[in-house]
């Protein structure tokens, strides 16, 4: 191969004959350096050498990008690699792979830095919202509302329940919501428990139990697992000791207090609340189970009540005569038995204002429509009415849940089977035989339940009412 010294004019004027597919011009200065061109006129510097007895050719680059001295230096470098026993092609691939890996590592590092920054900024409140959204399908409404309530901020204007402040106070978990999740260690939780337990130990104990389960859930999530200690920071002895043990509640109606309690409760001006309180005592149901009772849950044919049970989902208990008379006396305002009495019957005076508000929301409102004052449609727990009635009756410290406790305690006077009382109240069976072998139909429960009701009313001096016949209409006075 003829060689010449590369100069800029020689490189620029080198052309490929049209009869050939490619042509080469070889440099006399740098061994192996050549200029390759095609009829299309796209020249490039190449290196050609002998590696392990075989000719290899490597493209260096275009003359537009490489000067002659740089191309000569590159050719000498490639020849040195061959002289050292390396294949320049393999070294080039390795270099390209190294650059690719370096770029990937830089991208990964940048992504990890972003994740670390986001994790450092992630607050307990953000993880708490994700937790509630993920677990809500598996919870009951009351349990979900407990999570919302205990993390609620204060400062909301309210006329009741603020002890004269006029605004609500922040709930126990709210103090943790603004903290970074990664800062939620054992020391932080222990300090929180010690502070909150001084003023409200009961609600803080519930908040603590919810917090422990939340942190267990976080430990199972890939995006949170690196933010928390290996051991649940809420599950420490110091936190448990700071919160103390709950004391067993003992508020209960005594047999001799029944006349005064019934007299005071039956005198409450709101017939719906009066009926709800009496049904709580006479059925032993939880306050929320009674208040959320719907008319569709009242079976007049078989005289039964379907209770939305937080343990088993629902249970059916007898509708005893006096309880049925209470329900018969209630107006049907909406789907709920104990409907909210805060209902506004629209009149011509406020029709225009409510129609404009409804149109803004895309709703239709007609004259005479009942607008519920309660967000749920049924009355909330009537603690104030019950407290006032108990004060009138001279009974101290009796809570709404105490009525459920009273039902169980008063049945002891009648020697009612414990399994019957537990089934009516919705308690889980406490023995294998009770759980797997005892099946009590509604009529058998009714036999005992009506006996319990009749005895309570007798002790209270409340006259019994004639049992209405389900297949006939009757007048409720």
């Amino acid at each position: 191969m003829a060689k010449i010294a590369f100069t800029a004019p020689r490189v620029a004027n080198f052309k490929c004959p049209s009869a050939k597919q490619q042509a080469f011009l070889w440099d006399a200065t740098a061994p192996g350096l050549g200029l390759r061109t095609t009829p299309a006129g796209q020249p490039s510097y190449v290196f050609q050498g002998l590696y392990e007895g075989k000719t290899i050719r490597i493209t260096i680059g275009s003359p537009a990008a490489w000067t002659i001295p740089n191309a000569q230096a590159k050719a000498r470098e490639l020849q040195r690699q061959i002289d050292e026993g390396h294949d320049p092609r393999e070294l080039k691939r390795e270099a390209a792979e190294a650059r690719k890996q370096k770029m990937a590592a830089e991208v990964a590092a940048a992504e990890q830095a972003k994740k670390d920054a986001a994790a450092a900024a992630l607050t307990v409140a953000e993880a708490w919202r994700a937790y509630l959204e993920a677990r809500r399908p598996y919870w009951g409404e009351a349990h979900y509302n407990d999570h919302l309530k205990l993390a609620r901020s204060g400062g909301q204007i309210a006329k009741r329940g603020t002890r004269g402040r006029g605004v609500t106070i922040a709930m126990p978990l709210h103090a943790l919501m603004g903290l970074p999740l990664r800062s939620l260690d054992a020391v932080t939780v222990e300090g929180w428990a010690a502070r909150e337990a001084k003023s409200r130990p009961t609600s803080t104990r519930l908040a603590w139990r919810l917090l422990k389960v939340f942190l267990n859930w976080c430990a199972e999530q890939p995006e949170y697992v690196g933010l928390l200690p290996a051991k649940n920071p809420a599950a420490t002895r110091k936190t448990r000791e700071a919160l103390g043990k709950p004391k067993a509640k003992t508020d209960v109606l005594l047999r001799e207090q029944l006349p005064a309690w019934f007299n005071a409760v039956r005198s409450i001006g709101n017939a719906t609340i009066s009926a709800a309180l009496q049904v709580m005592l006479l059925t032993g149901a939880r306050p929320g189970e009674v208040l959320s009772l719907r008319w569709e849950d009242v079976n007049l044919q078989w005289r039964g009540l379907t209770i939305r049970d937080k343990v088993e989902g629902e249970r059916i208990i007898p509708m005893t005569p006096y309880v049925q008379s209470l329900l018969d006396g209630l107006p049907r305002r909406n789907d709920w038995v104990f409907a909210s009495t805060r209902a506004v019957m629209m009149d011509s005076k406020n029709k225009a204002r409510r129609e404009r508000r409804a149109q803004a929301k895309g709703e239709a409102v007609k004259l005479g429509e009942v607008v519920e004052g309660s967000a749920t449609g049924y009355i909330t727990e009537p603690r104030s009415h019950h407290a006032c009635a108990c004060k009138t009756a001279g009974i101290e410290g009796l809570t709404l849940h105490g009525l459920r406790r009273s039902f169980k305690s008063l049945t002891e006077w009648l020697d009612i089977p414990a399994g019957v009382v537990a089934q009516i109240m919705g308690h889980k069976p406490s023995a294998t035989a009770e759980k797997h072998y005892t099946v009590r139909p509604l009529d058998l429960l009714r036999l005992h339940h009506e006996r319990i009701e009749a005895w309570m009313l007798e002790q209270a001096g409340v006259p019994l009412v004639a049992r209405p016949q389900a297949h006939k209409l009757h007048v409720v006075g």
Side-chain angles (χ1 to χ4, degrees):
M1 294 183 296
K3 297 182 180 180
I4 62 171
F6 278 4
T7 62
R10 287 174 177 173
V11 170
N13 294 327
F14 180 63
K15 304 295 181 182
C16 177
S18 58
K20 294 184 179 182
Q21 294 183 348
Q22 60 182 353
F24 291 90
L25 183 67
W26 299 100
D27 184 26
T29 304
L33 177 62
L35 180 66
R36 174 183 174 274
T37 187
T38 64
Q42 296 179 348
S44 62
Y45 289 117
V46 296
F47 168 79
Q48 184 170 297
L50 194 64
Y51 176 72
E52 294 183 349
K54 296 181 180 180
T55 300
I56 62 173
R57 186 181 296 162
I58 301 172
T59 300
I60 294 176
S62 170
W66 287 78
T67 64
I68 294 174
N70 287 344
Q72 291 171 337
K74 182 64 176 178
R76 295 187 183 99
E77 178 188 347
L78 294 174
Q79 185 59 52
R80 281 195 303 270
Q81 294 173 358
I82 292 176
D83 294 343
E84 293 171 355
H86 303 298
D87 186 346
R89 297 169 300 180
E90 188 63 29
L91 293 178
K92 184 178 181 180
R93 283 192 293 267
E94 291 176 356
E97 184 63 26
R99 288 193 298 271
K100 183 178 179 181
Q101 292 179 358
K102 182 181 179 181
M103 291 179 61
E106 291 175 351
V107 171
E111 290 294 328
Q112 187 60 43
K114 289 174 61 178
K115 290 180 180 179
D116 292 343
L122 180 72
T123 63
V124 176
E126 291 172 308
W128 185 260
R129 285 192 292 269
Y131 168 62
L132 265 59
E133 183 178 352
R135 299 302 302 167
R136 184 173 187 179
Y138 307 97
W139 292 343
E141 195 65 25
H143 189 60
Y144 174 75
N145 288 334
D146 282 342
H147 286 76
L148 294 179
K149 177 182 177 182
L150 291 171
R152 194 170 56 199
S153 62
Q156 300 296 321
I157 298 176
K159 296 180 180 180
R160 300 169 57 188
T162 62
R163 299 182 181 178
R165 294 182 300 270
V167 294
T168 59
I169 62 173
M171 298 302 285
L173 285 175
H174 181 71
L176 302 176
M177 291 294 126
L179 300 178
L181 183 62
R182 68 190 320 162
S183 71
L184 208 60
D185 54 15
V187 175
T188 302
V189 176
E190 289 165 1
W192 164 80
R195 291 190 302 272
E196 296 292 339
K198 292 179 181 179
S199 57
R200 43 188 177 185
T202 301
S203 60
T204 304
R205 275 192 293 268
L206 175 57
W208 170 59
R209 291 194 293 272
L210 301 184
L211 179 65
K212 282 197 299 182
V213 179
F214 161 68
L215 292 176
N216 283 337
W217 177 84
C218 287
E220 298 173 351
Q221 309 309 310
E223 60 269 35
Y224 303 144
V225 67
L227 303 179
L228 294 168
K231 183 180 179 182
N232 191 324
T236 64
R237 176 180 296 181
K238 192 171 181 180
T239 300
R240 185 167 57 252
E241 291 174 348
L243 295 172
K245 294 183 179 180
K247 297 180 180 179
K249 302 292 177 60
T250 58
D251 57 306
V252 66
L253 268 176
L254 303 178
R255 184 183 66 167
E256 54 269 26
Q257 293 175 328
L258 287 172
W261 185 87
F262 267 98
N263 184 56
V265 169
R266 295 178 73 197
S267 299
I268 293 176
N270 189 315
T272 303
I273 292 178
S274 175
L277 293 174
Q278 294 178 77
V279 171
M280 289 179 197
L281 175 64
L282 294 171
T283 62
R286 300 172 181 87
E289 295 173 346
V290 172
L291 297 177
S292 60
L293 196 66
R294 293 173 176 263
W295 286 112
E296 65 184 24
D297 300 328
V298 179
N299 189 325
L300 296 176
Q301 180 181 3
W302 302 111
R303 292 187 292 120
L305 299 175
T306 300
I307 303 295
R308 309 298 175 181
D309 196 322
K310 75 172 187 178
V311 178
E312 300 295 341
E314 66 178 33
R315 68 182 186 277
I316 300 178
I317 66 173
M319 181 167 57
T320 49
Y322 185 76
V323 168
Q324 182 171 352
S325 70
L326 292 174
L327 302 187
D328 286 342
L330 297 177
R332 296 203 177 198
R333 296 189 179 95
N334 53 23
D335 293 338
W336 283 271
V337 175
F338 301 104
S340 170
T341 56
R342 297 178 182 180
V344 179
M345 182 66 72
M346 294 178 57
D347 53 23
S348 56
K349 183 177 181 180
N350 62 15
K351 176 187 175 183
R353 176 173 57 86
R354 293 189 179 275
E355 281 186 342
R356 287 194 300 270
R357 183 182 302 174
Q359 290 173 359
K361 296 180 180 180
E363 301 171 350
V365 178
K366 298 178 181 180
L367 184 63
E369 181 179 353
V370 175
V371 180
E372 296 295 343
S374 171
T376 59
Y378 56 84
I379 60 175
T380 55
E381 293 189 0
R383 292 191 181 94
S384 58
H385 291 82
H386 185 237
C388 184
C390 287
K391 184 177 181 180
T392 301
I395 302 171
E396 296 182 0
L398 182 62
T399 63
L400 293 182
H401 198 82
L403 298 178
R404 175 173 166 83
R405 191 176 298 109
S406 300
F407 177 85
K408 173 65 174 69
S409 301
L410 290 169
T411 59
E412 298 292 324
W413 287 92
L414 300 174
D415 196 24
I416 303 293
V420 170
V421 178
Q423 187 171 338
I424 294 173
M425 297 181 68
H427 284 152
K428 284 189 174 182
S430 58
T432 300
E434 182 72 24
K435 183 176 182 180
H436 297 287
Y437 296 99
T438 306
V439 179
R440 299 184 186 88
L442 187 62
D443 281 350
L444 180 56
L445 290 179
R446 189 188 318 282
L447 178 68
H448 295 287
H449 201 171
E450 289 186 354
R451 182 179 165 212
I452 295 170
E453 180 187 83
W455 180 84
M456 286 189 187
L457 296 176
E458 179 184 0
Q459 300 302 311
V462 176
L464 295 173
V465 296
R467 178 185 301 169
Q469 298 183 24
H471 65 281
K472 293 184 179 179
L473 296 176
H474 60 280
V475 179
V476 178

